[in-house]
Structure formats: C-alpha cells, structure tokens
Amino acid sequence: MLFRSSSAGTSLATTPSGAPAGGLGSQASQASSQATRASHVVKRHKSDGVRRLAAHPHLPLYISGGQDGAVAIWEWSHASQVATVRPAGVFAKVNRIVFTRQGNKFGLCDGDGNTALWQAASTSSPYFSVQTHTKNTADFVFQGGSSSLLATAGHSTDGKNVALWDTLLPQRKACVQSFNCHEAGAACLAHATQHQLLISAGKKGAVCIWD
C-alpha cells in the first residue's frame, strides 16, 4: 500500500495502480496483510538459557548472557558464536549486559554481586572485575558518555545498595561513593544524562533520585 497527499493536505490510501483503495476496512486489511508479510525471521541463533542481550551500538554484534553464567558474542553473518567471554557453569547468572556509548567497552553484572568490564577488542579477560554488592548486583549503568564511571544497584549486607565506581582507580579504592537505601535491595538504575541525575528503584517499590 502506498500513501500520497491530496490537495487538501490529507493522506489517501491508494492501490499499487494509484487508484483509491476501497474504504477503511479494505485499508486495514491490506495494512494487516503487508505487516504479516514483513514479519519474518532474519537470523536464528540457538543458545539455551539466555537471560540478557545487548547490541553493539555501531557493529552487527550482540552479546548474550545466560542463566548458567555463560557469556557469548554473536555476529549476524555467523551461524555460531564468534567468541566466548565466560564459559557456562563457572559464574552466576547474568543480570545485565551493557555496551558503552562508543562501543569500545562492555560490562556485565551477575547474581554473585560481581561486575566485570572488558575491552571490546580483547575479551580474553576483564580489565576490571570487583564484587560491587555482597549478595547480588542487579543492574549497572555507565554514567553519561563516560566509559570509566559507572553506578551499580544490588543488595549488600551493609545496606549500601547503590554505589558509584571509578574504574581508573585501583580496585580497592574504586568505590567513590555508596548510598544506604532500598531495604530489600535495589533492582534497577537509570542515568538521566541531560540532568546529571541517577535514578534507582528498589524491590519494595521505592524510587530514589540522586544528584
């Protein structure tokens, strides 16, 4: 179905020959039919137990994270994974995977409370790996356009369930600030870049805004 503008400024549905289509019912039927034809699988990759996916911002790559802790990199033109970042059965379930805005780094957090970061060009071992929360790390975000500053949300025994990290510092000093909040643990994070605000949500429904 094609659309063209009439002299009155409204949009008229036409048939491929250019003649007006026959009423709203006919238009809806044709649109539905076209949508059905357009919905098809482009590529299918089989990987059991996948919990999280993240797409590279510029390249045809994506990363999967599994219930069994497996992390793999996939490329559209390959039938199987192109790299194994973490093997299955060694680490806890993957809770979140994030690429930096530039796409040169990515990271993940898991059910053991760990957060790890890799250079996208070298995935043999993480350049930053630390237990960011003692019980579970549920989410993390890179702050704004930075690839070295991040915030994490999770559940810690000391109640410091939201924390800020500078990955350029030694790991024992990398936690630059933490917040005692969300009694049952923090579940997710968002960074409002325009306003330089961090927003966290807890498992009991509380939402906190940090400046």
Side-chain angles (χ1 to χ4, degrees):
M1 182 186 296
L2 303 174
F3 289 88
R4 64 184 181 186
S5 299
S6 69
S7 58
T10 58
S11 294
L12 299 175
T14 65
T15 63
S17 63
L24 293 176
S26 175
Q27 295 175 30
S29 176
Q30 291 181 36
S32 175
S33 175
Q34 189 173 49
T36 301
R37 291 196 301 270
S39 300
H40 61 278
V41 176
V42 176
K43 175 73 77 172
R44 188 188 302 274
H45 287 153
K46 178 175 174 53
S47 182
D48 296 330
V50 171
R51 300 185 73 246
R52 299 291 183 264
L53 289 172
H56 192 280
H58 313 301
L59 301 175
L61 299 171
Y62 63 98
I63 301 177
S64 64
Q67 178 70 29
D68 57 5
V71 179
I73 300 178
W74 306 79
E75 202 273 335
W76 285 111
S77 63
H78 290 76
S80 58
Q81 63 192 53
V82 296
T84 298
V85 181
R86 278 185 170 181
V90 178
F91 299 91
K93 65 181 180 181
V94 177
N95 288 331
R96 185 86 157 104
I97 305 172
V98 180
F99 271 104
T100 60
R101 184 181 300 176
Q102 300 85 358
N104 61 327
K105 300 176 183 179
F106 68 90
L108 63 84
C109 59
D110 65 30
D112 280 340
N114 299 309
T115 300
L117 305 177
W118 286 261
Q119 299 283 351
S122 176
T123 60
S124 58
S125 61
Y127 69 88
F128 177 86
S129 181
V130 67
Q131 187 176 36
T132 46
H133 299 280
T134 56
K135 293 184 177 181
N136 176 56
T137 300
D139 197 5
F140 82 99
V141 293
F142 290 101
Q143 296 187 68
S146 174
S147 60
S148 60
L149 300 176
L150 57 93
T152 61
H155 196 186
S156 293
T157 53
D158 59 4
K160 295 178 179 178
N161 298 325
V162 174
L164 306 180
W165 305 81
D166 185 342
T167 62
L168 298 179
L169 296 175
Q171 290 192 14
R172 59 188 176 84
K173 297 182 178 180
C175 183
V176 294
Q177 192 167 3
S178 58
F179 305 101
N180 197 303
C181 57
H182 302 303
E183 180 183 349
C188 57
L189 281 175
H191 187 263
T193 305
Q194 182 178 359
H195 303 287
Q196 292 298 302
L197 296 174
L198 184 68
I199 305 168
S200 62
K203 292 183 178 179
K204 290 190 174 182
V207 174
C208 298
I209 299 176
W210 314 90
D211 60 13

